[in-house]
Amino acid sequence: MEDKRDKNKDGEVISVSGDKSPQSQKRDSDKLGTEPVHGLLLKTSAPLMVSMFVMALYNIVDSIYLGHYNTDSLTAVSLCFPFQNLNVAFGIGTAVGMSALLSRYLGAKQYARADKVAHNGFILAAINYSIFFIVGCLAEPIMRLVTAGSVNEFTLSEATSYLRITQWLSIAPMMQSMFERLLQGTGKTKYISYMQLSATLFNVVVDPILIFGYFGLPAMGAKGAALATVFGQLLGCILGHIFNREYNKEIQLSLKKVRPHLRTMKDIYKIGIPSIVLQSVGAVMTFSLNKILLMFSELAVTTFGVYFKLQSFAFMPLFGMNSGSVPIIAYNYGADRKDRLEETMRLGARYGIGLMTIGTIIFWLFPEQLMALFNSPPEMVSMGVVALHIISLNFPFAGYAIMRGAAFQALGKSVYSMNISLVRQLLIIIPCAYIFAKIGGVNMVWWAFPCAEVAGMTMSVLYTRSIRKNILSKMTPRDADGNPIDK
């Protein structure tokens, strides 16, 4: 049979006709451009929402157990949070860039480019890991610099152990993020839930054994929590590799295909760097707020750390829907399906606001019960109730802004999300928190968060108008087969 090859402008083969050609077969990712948008968004996001919720449980388990083990150990993990956040920023930011670019090429039927994107994403993940391995080697001087003598030696020792282990073995969560985003970019999000659930169950079971020293093992405290965390992530990484190898036929991973391609890396980071900066800014914000709160007490830092753990329960399902909408928007952008793209954006914003409103209600109705999960002393519960009430007021604003951020990333405008994050978390939260701390005490510090989210939502509205004017209005309406629709 005659073999006809379609090539893009760079001469790469993007489709091949013929009975046995994989490019000529219907791909699973095609559903991103054909299935009804509402059902597709829910079906794509639901596994990711479960996955993110499970990840929130994964993150909070350490703190719950450590709260019952020793409050100083809980403080130590809170001090390490900015560095973990920075690690996650590089891992997920790179994976987001790879996933969005991958979905866009699949939507445009440029399969050779999609394959190249996947393999270069793993090269970048390995490069990122080398940076954080060095951070692990310098864990003790870094923690001494951060605390500046404001914590006792036991807390410092626990923080050093936790930071060293989580950074030395951070290759596991970075690779896990890459495997997850490969599945996400090709529409196979249910396998991500399996990865996260397996890793979390492992962590829940092993955490108390290593922290408290059951079954004849020594009690390791924060060190045990760190080991349980990274071993769970390693399990998720292994499962991610298996799921991609067995079920993801869109991308065929092979060591033989791992060849650096600078243009592809640049394109990945064109989308990914704003996401990295966006999440890295969160690490800077957390670090700065910890320094401000240390002006009052270690307990204030611990309370802030507990809030961040609890916040993840409200935000992680939202991040799941955010991630679920990215491949749909990116695919339909590549396929020139303006109608489906706009509908995804509209539904995403509605669900984002709704999810976060539920989070606000929970934080207002059950603050004491939430703080009690960590075996908090009375003064910490009192401080935490005020913090949860005030900060949760910003949740609905954040819901809108985060879902709009998904659209910005998928359309190649991640810089918009980066700008919003810089304004919110550097130009507003930190200065406001410092000023409020000086004039109103520790409980006044929490008002910096609602102030920042109002500004973030305002910027999101303005950037959305720019997207509609400069991108959406210039798209050519097309039908499901990719044919232009006459107006």
Side-chain angles (χ1 to χ4, degrees):
M1 178 174 289
E2 183 181 3
D3 181 23
K4 296 181 179 179
R5 297 174 179 264
D6 296 324
K7 300 182 179 181
N8 58 31
K9 62 182 181 180
D10 296 320
E12 295 174 303
V13 177
I14 59 175
S15 64
V16 185
S17 62
D19 293 343
K20 297 183 179 181
S21 171
Q23 285 87 349
S24 66
Q25 299 172 4
K26 184 174 179 60
R27 291 173 172 252
D28 291 340
S29 58
D30 290 343
K31 67 183 180 182
L32 299 176
T34 57
E35 292 189 6
V37 172
H38 197 173
L40 178 64
L41 178 61
L42 293 177
K43 184 168 68 174
T44 304
S45 299
L48 288 168
M49 293 170 71
V50 173
S51 171
M52 291 293 187
F53 191 83
V54 169
M55 184 182 293
L57 178 63
Y58 191 96
N59 291 333
I60 205 171
V61 163
D62 286 354
S63 296
I64 292 176
Y65 285 134
L66 288 172
H68 287 79
Y69 175 76
N70 190 302
T71 303
D72 287 340
S73 296
L74 181 58
T75 301
V77 173
S78 298
L79 290 170
C80 292
F81 182 77
F83 298 96
Q84 284 185 285
N85 198 19
L86 192 62
N87 191 303
V88 169
F90 275 81
I92 292 183
T94 303
V96 164
M98 178 198 69
S99 178
L101 196 60
L102 179 74
S103 295
R104 189 186 306 173
Y105 284 148
L106 289 174
K109 313 300 181 185
Q110 297 182 14
Y111 303 123
R113 283 189 170 183
D115 197 68
K116 186 179 293 182
V117 166
H119 287 85
N120 275 267
F122 280 93
I123 295 174
L124 292 175
I127 294 172
N128 292 338
Y129 165 66
S130 65
I131 298 172
F132 291 97
F133 181 84
I134 296 173
V135 172
C137 294
L138 301 175
E140 183 174 356
I142 287 175
M143 292 314 303
R144 288 193 179 277
L145 179 64
V146 168
T147 57
S150 57
V151 299
N152 59 57
E153 283 297 317
F154 178 77
T155 301
L156 179 64
S157 175
E158 289 282 86
T160 298
S161 296
Y162 192 89
L163 182 63
R164 180 180 291 130
I165 293 171
T166 54
Q167 301 308 298
W168 275 352
L169 299 177
S170 61
I171 186 64
M174 286 190 176
M175 290 299 178
Q176 181 180 343
S177 293
M178 300 302 292
F179 287 128
E180 287 178 355
R181 289 318 189 274
L182 276 183
L183 294 167
Q184 172 199 330
T186 53
K188 300 173 180 63
T189 54
K190 68 178 181 179
Y191 297 108
I192 300 176
S193 296
Y194 302 156
M195 294 167 60
Q196 291 289 352
L197 183 59
S198 299
T200 299
L201 288 176
F202 178 92
N203 191 43
V204 169
V205 172
V206 175
D207 237 340
I209 296 174
L210 299 182
I211 291 174
F212 297 103
Y214 297 146
F215 304 112
L217 294 174
M220 290 186 278
K223 183 186 294 184
L227 288 171
T229 296
V230 295
F231 287 158
Q233 291 166 339
L234 181 59
L235 174 61
C237 180
I238 293 171
L239 291 175
H241 177 264
I242 294 173
F243 291 148
N244 275 280
R245 184 187 64 197
E246 297 297 326
Y247 305 112
N248 196 350
K249 305 306 180 184
E250 314 287 298
I251 301 296
Q252 298 294 321
L253 294 176
S254 172
L255 288 176
K256 296 179 181 179
K257 297 181 182 179
V258 179
R259 296 187 181 91
H261 188 263
L262 293 181
R263 177 182 170 183
T264 300
M265 291 182 179
K266 179 181 178 182
D267 290 342
I268 291 174
Y269 269 146
K270 185 177 180 180
I271 300 173
I273 283 181
S275 180
I276 292 173
V277 172
L278 186 152
Q279 297 192 59
S280 298
V281 167
V284 174
M285 182 271 292
T286 306
F287 174 82
S288 300
L289 276 177
N290 280 342
K291 298 292 286 186
I292 292 172
L293 293 171
L294 279 173
M295 292 165 28
F296 299 99
S297 65
E298 287 185 36
L299 196 63
V301 174
T302 308
T303 302
F304 182 52
V306 166
Y307 159 73
F308 251 98
K309 299 290 184 177
L310 291 171
Q311 172 193 271
S312 63
F313 276 101
F315 275 80
M316 284 302 183
L318 175 67
F319 289 143
M321 179 156 282
N322 171 291
S323 297
S325 67
V326 167
I328 301 175
I329 296 173
Y331 185 100
N332 286 285
Y333 179 45
D336 236 5
R337 293 297 306 276
K338 176 182 177 182
D339 56 330
R340 295 175 60 81
L341 192 160
E342 290 187 312
E343 186 177 358
T344 306
M345 289 177 59
R346 182 172 61 253
L347 290 171
R350 292 176 182 175
Y351 276 112
I353 294 172
L355 285 170
M356 298 311 292
T357 299
I358 294 173
T360 299
I361 293 172
I362 292 174
F363 273 45
W364 270 81
L365 292 179
F366 308 107
E368 292 91 350
Q369 292 85 344
L370 293 173
M371 293 299 299
L373 291 172
F374 302 86
N375 195 33
S376 307
E379 57 271 28
M380 183 173 163
V381 172
S382 178
M383 188 184 300
V385 168
V386 176
L388 295 183
H389 278 168
I390 294 175
I391 301 178
S392 64
L393 292 174
N394 73 57
F395 285 2
F397 301 110
Y400 175 87
I402 288 172
M403 290 309 301
R404 280 293 183 249
F408 301 155
Q409 290 177 354
L411 297 174
K413 295 293 183 181
S414 296
V415 68
Y416 290 173
S417 297
M418 181 182 72
N419 291 342
I420 293 171
S421 183
L422 287 172
V423 170
R424 285 175 53 252
Q425 301 191 68
L426 290 186
L427 299 184
I428 295 183
I429 285 185
I430 295 175
C432 285
Y434 183 77
I435 294 171
F436 293 163
K438 289 295 186 181
I439 65 177
V442 65
N443 287 334
M444 189 70 179
V445 170
W446 317 125
W447 283 103
F449 287 86
C451 293
E453 291 301 344
V454 171
M457 181 175 178
T458 302
M459 292 181 67
S460 296
V461 170
L462 295 176
Y463 278 137
T464 299
R465 291 180 179 177
S466 176
I467 288 287
R468 296 189 186 282
K469 177 181 178 181
N470 298 317
I471 295 180
L472 302 186
S473 65
K474 298 178 181 179
M475 293 179 66
T476 302
R478 297 180 183 273
D479 59 24
D481 296 323
N483 301 313
I485 299 176
D486 294 330
K487 295 183 180 181

